[in-house]
Amino acid sequence: MGNCLHVLFFSDSPDDAAFIVQNLEQAGLTINHECIGNPEKFKIALLKQYWDLILAENKASHFDPYFALTVRNEFALDIPLIILADKYSDHIALGLLNAGASDYISRDQISRLLPSIIRELDRPKIRKDNYYTDNIEGIGAEALLIQTNERLVRAALVSKSGNWEYNLETGIISSSVGAQKLYGLEGEYWNICDIKMMPLPEYRELLDNGLLALINSGKPYDYEFKITQGNTGQIIDIHSIAEYDSSKRIVFGVIQDITERKKIEVALLKSEEQYRVLIENQGEGVATVDLNEIFVFANPAADQMFGVPGGTLVNRCLLDFIEPDHRTRVREQSDKRAKLEMSTYELEIITFKGEKRHLLVTATPQTNERGEITGTFGIFRDMTAHKNAERELINSERKYRELANSLPVGIFESDLTGIITFANETLMNWLNYSEDEVIVGANMLQFILESQRVRAFERFSELIGKELQTASEYNAIRKDGSSFPVVASVCVIKSSGVVTGIRGTLTDITEQKQIEEALNASDKLFSNLVEKMPDGVYKSTSDGKFVSVNPAMVTMLGYSSKAELMAIDIKKELYFDPDERSQVVLTTNTGGTEIFRLKKKDRSEIWVEDHGWFNFDEKRNILFHEGILRDITERKSVEDKLRILSQTVEQNPSSTIITDAKGNIEYVNNAFTSLTQYTLEEVVYKPPRIFNPGHIPKVDFDLMWKTLSDRKIWKGEYRNRRKDKSTYWENVTISSLTNNAGVISNFILIMEDISEKKKMLDDLIRAKESAEESDRLKSAFLAMMNHELRTPLTHILGFSELIMSGVSADDNISFASSIQSSGQNLLSIIEGVFDLAIMDHSKVKLSNQTFSLMDHYMENRASFDHILRLSAKHEQINLIFRPDTHWLSSYITADRGKINQVLTNLFKNAVKFTHEGTIEFGFHIENDSIINFYIKDSGIGIAEEKQSVIFDYFRQVDDSYTRVYGGIGIGLAISKKIAKILMGELKVVSKPGEGSIFSLSLPVELSYIKD
């Protein structure tokens, strides 16, 4: 990883590890670390990757640092291991160092960590020599050091090393698994000629000469060189040590991959150089002194601070610059460092030039590997200017403070070390400090979020060094630990041309940040929406180049990536004619929605809907064309098909209706309007008549809806009415349409006018039935006339002869009465035959009129009462009337005469076949459109098998010549025919011995006001 240092922390405190990493990175190192607090996971971590350094704490709750040392040694890993302790202990330190620890550092000696790390990483040669010597000696004692072959292989792989033997007699090299992995070769045995070719050419002669020198003169073989791995071709750094056994004529040795170490050495050299440059260019004095307070190192700033020529502070004594009465304080601080305590204190010195300076000293003890103090590392901050500035500011401080406290921004000042020297009340309030809790004297960095302090310190140093005026954003920390965003505008404070500190203002930008966060969230949401939109989103230049596209745009046009699409010439690659873009898109500067075709990558056609707009410069020149592109190829295909389908439906000669799922009309074609005389506007949102009960028989109505609910096609015929009240017959085919969820969404009705076909068919059927009926009627008529005419004629003739033979006057009257009665019967028969002839051979015309139901009811009531009295049965039969009183005040439009003719026939039959009991007449209305008249009697009744016969011509319940009841059997037949002409229905319900109910149902127009 180049300059990256891989550090494994053996600690149960990730926060401590992060703190140490932060300090190391501030020193210029690049750290990649992992913190492990579990012993088993620590073992796994050691094996899974290469580590440059192990830092183990001796306070971990689950283990002690001896465990880390044991595991490291068990795996034969040559990794420096430094122990970090809360407090220093000679006894513990000595034990851990003897166990193999590289160093033992307590918390109050943390400044020693960086030098210790650099020292350990600077001594790879020492560790390398020891390691390889151990390995070479271990070749002869593998059974003692490595108990199993598995551990040997694992140790070699983990340490990236391997063993080899070269037999001079055979020229064959035998290798370990580790060596095979390093060289990238398969197999345990290699040819010496092949191996000699693996080092880079510049190393081959050196290695050949070294091997000869080892064999011939026993000169040590210890080389570092580069090889090209056989399997990967990668170049790696190798360190090889070998010895020669002359008795066996065998050269055996150890090799190790030192690629990472080489990289680290380069990184450390760079880091050391950066550290040196940092110290040399540090604005503060940096120096170290030994136990006698003799300077052993000083940077240029320290030389300048003590007033000596550059580079001459070294070997001078610190006490020489301090007046005798002040030296006691230095010795007190030295006593603290003897206890390994770091201290900060002010010191007054007399420079080499005799100038008095006030310094702020930060002193850190330095120790050796055994933890013994060897000197002091000190940072000197010149406080002289600060002291002078304090005196200069005393007179104006009150006025300045009052002004600063009145401002709505936080104001602060600090010295060159970052120590706050002034803070106004606004800042104090923002930080939640009271007037009694003075923050002056604290370092300003402690009021900045910890993660931002390094950046703040760098800006602070740059500000002072270059005398800049800067503004930066930070998060300020309140007393309770909460933070808020601020903008710090800072500049240097000068006194007599010398920078003495910094002055700054803090502006609370919490509200601004909230707005920015909202805008960022909105931008992110917008970006995510654009990336995930199913439609293409693009931005292009006026000359035909894409600036940006989203994934949907790439997919839509058939390209493999954004880069591929953005590289094309839009005019040439997306348009079939390069001029089309200018004609279709760039003709206007207003944008809008356009539909046009484009060319995909595979040259196929795609239709798109472009919602585009333009970005202009200040001269209204087009900068960019942006928009949203939607693939409407399928939609356009569907629209074309729908257009064809629409034209087909519109021009269909059959009447067509489309309704919604509730049966309300949404569309009708021209044929519908031509047939029914209704326009779409007149019928839209209304149901077709056939969807309303009463227009077709209930059985057919229920079957129709069941068929449609089952998503089947229903066909039927029914009589419909035009706008002008005229009627016609139509053949109806109804089918249902379903949506994607399988739910019925529409009904389609296709209706064909079959009035003419119906008429022709009815005429044919009537002609056929008429012919058949004529034959039957002729036979029935002759048989009936033979009986019904003969009987009254026989009576007339017989009684006439008796009268003529001379009988008494009383007999004459009786016989004349019988003759009259027979004559009346004969006349009734003849009238019935005439009615029959009229019904069959004439076109019966209806004479509709609007009349009052009350008048009609009273008319029939009087007529029935008269008929009953003429029958001489009014004493035996009770006549009951039950009208629908709700409708008595209504008017109906129908053929009144035909209705009365049917009702009279029914009533006469009731009187004829009822000897005693009751006859009931009434009516009621159904669905506001059908009137039901009924006549109920308590007469002899009709057997079920005879109920269909009685409506035929010349048929009666008793057709025998010995029947009791007279009549030729045409009354009910005529009534049935009249009911049919009236588009009604005549029905009977009867049981023998219980009586009969005859009902006449007719469609009529009802109203409360006479038209």
Side-chain angles (χ1 to χ4, degrees), residues 795-825:
H795 288 171
I796 293 172
L797 293 174
F799 286 117
S800 298
E801 289 178 0
L802 289 174
I803 292 173
M804 293 175 62
S805 65
V807 294
S808 65
D810 291 337
D811 287 338
N812 280 340
I813 293 172
S814 176
F815 291 159
S817 177
S818 296
I819 290 171
Q820 184 184 21
S821 177
S822 295
Q824 290 291 338
N825 289 338

Side-chain angles (χ1 to χ4, degrees), residues 396-411 422-426 503:
S396 61
E397 182 178 0
R398 179 183 56 81
K399 184 181 295 186
Y400 176 78
R401 183 179 298 275
E402 290 175 355
L403 175 63
N405 288 336
S406 65
L407 294 175
V409 296
I411 300 176
F422 170 77
N424 70 344
E425 290 181 1
T426 303
R503 178 183 296 115

Side-chain angles (χ1 to χ4, degrees), residues 252-268:
F252 57 91
V254 176
I255 58 174
Q256 185 176 32
D257 182 356
I258 60 170
T259 306
E260 290 299 323
R261 197 203 74 197
K262 285 289 187 180
K263 293 178 180 179
I264 290 172
E265 288 176 356
V266 173
L268 286 175

Side-chain angles (χ1 to χ4, degrees), residues 405-418:
N405 288 336
S406 65
L407 294 175
V409 296
I411 300 176
F412 70 93
E413 291 181 356
S414 77
D415 62 16
L416 295 177
T417 66

